């Protein structure tokens, strides 16, 4: 079986991730940050070590400014819903996932002004357009780092300079890049970094987080027990407790911590280089097939390991089904939760076939996938 749906969730998970989750359930299985016995302390230590690993990976000075969530979607909701109010203006791009678009449309209905900047047909955002869209009431720029449709990388350093100079919040949706592409929150001037644990960080589903820069204050999405300041009926005002009410996904966080350790041991730069080379190999192989259209820049230096294509005259669902049934290749077809991105690249409403590469994807798998698409294109 060839798994090319890593943009949806990564597979397989490294053995140490599964081991860490098993170990947690077998050996610890206590709540964190609440009781004082040895097992509870062990659970708290596992959570703190995962927080520290995330901080190291994204160059965050204070691990306590990393908040655990369920996924990138919850992190993005916290970043946007926690800081935008009627009368505020927010800038985003036409390549966003619905995890950005839907919260923004909901906020728009409450009186937040939303500007969606048109990206190029290849899926790229021009930093100059961000600059031009800024108004006196602009509060935030929110964009994805790597598109889940074309893989196109956003000009984050340029946008980070603009937002810093203008005093705006810069929210980066790193769902597709965390663990697959170097992220330095200081160098990129990112104020709020939303990431998910189950893609290139190699963790289990149901894990994610938000880095919140010092000085940025968000309204929580939920209030409740945190294990701290139990004498008070009011929410603690310190991080991470302020945003982590209720028992966290401890098994998931144990797995995520192990996943990040795996990523750091492999090295993000090395992972990126491998994926870049395989991505270019895939793009070149697909471009060589008559009747196949590949979307995006077609240059792997400018994108992550996400490649969208179509076969002229063949429906995406037929391609997906035949890849699965005849070639045992798992991929995703359709709109990938990003209708605006497909309108941008001209593939709405049918969408594309998407191959999502991962840390464990091999050259042989890429070549077999290219051959399978070649056969399908020939059959028509
Ligand atoms: C660009 C982008 N943003 C956000 C998300 C949402 O991530 P999650 O499912 O972890 O909430 C995804 C998931 O595919 C994504 O690709």
């Amino acid at each position: 079986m060839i798994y090319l749906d890593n943009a949806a969730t990564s597979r397989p998970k490294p053995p140490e991730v599964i081991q860490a989750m098993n170990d947690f359930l077998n050996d610890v299985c206590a709540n964190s940050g609440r009781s004082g016995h040895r097992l509870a302390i062990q659970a708290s230590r596992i959570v703190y070590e995962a927080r520290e690993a995330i901080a190291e990976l994204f160059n965050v000075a204070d691990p306590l400014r990393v908040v655990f969530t369920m996924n990138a979607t919850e992190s993005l909701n916290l970043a946007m819903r926690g800081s935008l109010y009627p009368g505020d203006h927010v800038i985003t791009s036409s390549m966003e996932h619905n995890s950005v678009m839907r919260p923004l449309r909901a906020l728009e209905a409450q009186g937040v002004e939303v500007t969606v900047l048109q990206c190029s047909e290849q899926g790229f955002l021009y930093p100059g357009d961000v600059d031009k869209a800024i108004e006196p009431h602009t509060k935030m720029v929110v964009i994805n780092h790597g598109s889940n449709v074309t893989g196109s990388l956003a000009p984050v350093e340029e946008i980070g300079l603009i937002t810093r100079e203008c005093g705006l919040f810069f929210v980066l949706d790193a769902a597709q890049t965390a663990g697959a592409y170097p992220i330095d929150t200081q160098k990129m001037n990112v104020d709020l970094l939303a990431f998910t644990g189950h893609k290139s960080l190699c963790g289990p589903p149901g894990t994610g987080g938000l880095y919140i820069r010092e000085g940025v204050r968000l309204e929580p999405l939920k209030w409740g027990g945190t294990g701290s300041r139990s004498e008070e009926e009011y929410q603690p005002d310190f991080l991470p407790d302020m945003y982590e009410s209720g028992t966290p996904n401890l098994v998931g966080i144990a797995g995520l911590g192990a996943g990040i350790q795996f990523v750091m041991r492999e090295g993000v730069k090395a992972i990126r280089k491998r994926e870049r080379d395989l991505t270019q190999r895939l793009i070149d192989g697909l471009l060589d097939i008559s009747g196949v259209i590949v979307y995006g820049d077609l240059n792997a230096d400018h994108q992550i390991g996400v490649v969208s294509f179509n076969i002229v005259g063949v429906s995406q669902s037929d391609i997906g089904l035949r890849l699965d049934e005849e070639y045992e290749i798992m991929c995703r077809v359709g709109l990938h939760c990003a209708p605006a991105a497909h309108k941008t690249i001209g593939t709405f409403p049918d969408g594309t076939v998407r191959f999502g590469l991962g840390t464990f994807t091999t050259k042989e798998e890429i070549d077999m996938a290219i051959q399978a698409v070649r056969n399908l294109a020939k059959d028509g």
Side-chain angles (χ1 to χ4, degrees):
M1 194 231 279
I2 298 175
Y3 184 78
L4 289 178
D5 198 17
N6 290 280
T9 196
S10 63
R11 186 183 197 278
K13 304 299 179 192
E16 54 264 56
V17 170
I18 296 159
Q19 188 66 48
M21 295 172 77
N22 264 322
D23 289 349
F24 184 87
L25 282 175
N26 281 323
D27 305 336
V28 185
C29 209
N31 213 332
S32 65
R34 278 128 174 107
S35 316
H37 55 79
R38 72 186 79 172
L39 293 176
I41 289 168
Q42 226 176 316
S44 299
R45 189 177 316 123
I46 288 167
V47 172
Y48 189 72
E49 282 173 2
R51 226 186 280 282
E52 269 188 330
I54 293 163
E56 189 182 335
L57 188 66
F58 300 140
N59 193 20
V60 169
D62 179 4
L64 297 179
R65 304 220 55 99
V66 174
V67 170
F68 284 112
T69 62
M70 284 277 293
N71 44 45
T73 304
E74 189 183 340
S75 307
L76 287 162
N77 270 270
L78 174 56
M80 292 182 276
R81 297 174 68 84
S83 64
L84 293 170
Y85 298 96
D88 288 338
H89 174 228
V90 51
I91 298 168
T92 190
S93 92
S94 69
M95 286 302 287
E96 300 311 311
H97 190 277
N98 271 342
S99 294
V100 167
M101 285 300 190
R102 287 180 176 172
L104 284 184
R105 292 304 181 201
L107 283 163
E108 193 174 35
Q110 292 167 18
V112 172
E113 194 188 333
V114 180
T115 296
V116 181
L117 297 175
Q118 187 62 33
C119 294
S120 74
E121 232 179 284
Q122 287 71 37
F124 289 100
L125 176 65
Y126 297 107
D129 288 349
V130 175
D131 211 6
K132 276 189 244 154
I134 295 170
E135 299 194 36
H137 61 306
T138 306
K139 188 159 187 189
M140 173 185 288
V141 175
V142 49
I143 54 158
N144 69 42
H145 189 191
S147 161
N148 67 315
V149 175
T150 56
S152 26
L153 282 158
V156 276
E157 290 193 17
E158 290 91 327
I159 293 173
L161 284 176
I162 295 169
T163 50
R164 182 53 45 94
E165 206 175 285
C166 300
L168 312 179
F169 287 171
F170 182 21
V171 183
L172 192 63
D173 171 4
Q176 291 292 340
T177 50
Y181 195 90
I183 294 176
D184 183 327
T185 52
Q186 313 282 331
K187 217 164 105 195
M188 295 170 167
N189 279 316
V190 173
D191 298 300
L192 295 150
L193 181 81
F195 60 92
T196 201
H198 65 102
K199 300 188 200 265
S200 293
L201 290 178
C202 297
T207 57
L210 182 70
Y211 155 64
I212 305 171
R213 187 177 58 78
E214 179 96 55
V216 175
R217 197 185 155 84
L218 305 171
E219 189 70 8
L221 284 184
K222 54 193 180 197
W223 292 258
T226 57
S228 54
R229 302 270 163 86
S230 287
E231 71 283 6
E232 292 194 1
E233 291 182 2
Y234 294 91
Q235 190 75 0
D237 62 354
F238 52 87
L239 273 74
D241 302 34
M242 185 171 175
Y243 306 108
E244 287 186 355
S245 290
T247 299
N249 176 5
L250 295 167
V251 187
I253 291 171
L256 175 59
I260 295 169
Q261 293 297 348
F262 167 83
V263 166
M264 291 204 289
R265 220 172 32 251
E266 294 281 310
V268 177
K269 280 193 180 144
I271 292 171
R272 162 64 185 159
K273 181 167 180 344
R274 274 195 64 251
E275 275 187 25
R276 184 238 158 262
D277 294 348
L278 289 177
T279 303
Q280 195 63 59
R281 189 179 184 91
L282 175 59
I283 292 170
D284 293 344
L286 291 174
L287 283 174
D288 196 39
I289 305 170
S290 149
V292 169
I293 304 167
V294 188
Y295 300 93
D297 191 54
L298 313 179
N299 179 347
D301 287 341
H302 306 152
Q303 73 176 80
I304 48 166
V306 173
V307 177
S308 259
F309 67 95
N310 274 318
I311 302 177
V312 177
V314 188
S315 83
Q316 291 78 13
S317 50
D318 279 355
I319 299 169
L321 196 67
R322 289 192 61 191
L323 284 172
D324 180 352
E325 289 186 346
E326 297 171 29
Y327 298 93
E328 292 189 58
I329 294 173
M330 311 298 141
C331 68
R332 183 167 175 197
V333 302
L335 293 173
H336 322 299
C337 301
H342 286 278
K343 287 177 187 160
T344 306
I345 67 168
T347 50
F348 189 84
D350 297 327
T352 56
V353 182
R354 182 183 75 181
F355 283 166
L357 282 56
T359 317
F360 297 103
T361 306
T362 65
K363 204 155 70 172
E364 291 69 32
E365 289 178 322
I366 293 296
D367 292 346
M368 284 194 269
I370 294 167
Q371 188 55 45
V373 175
R374 193 185 305 281
N375 295 348
L376 294 185
K378 211 174 335 145
D379 296 348

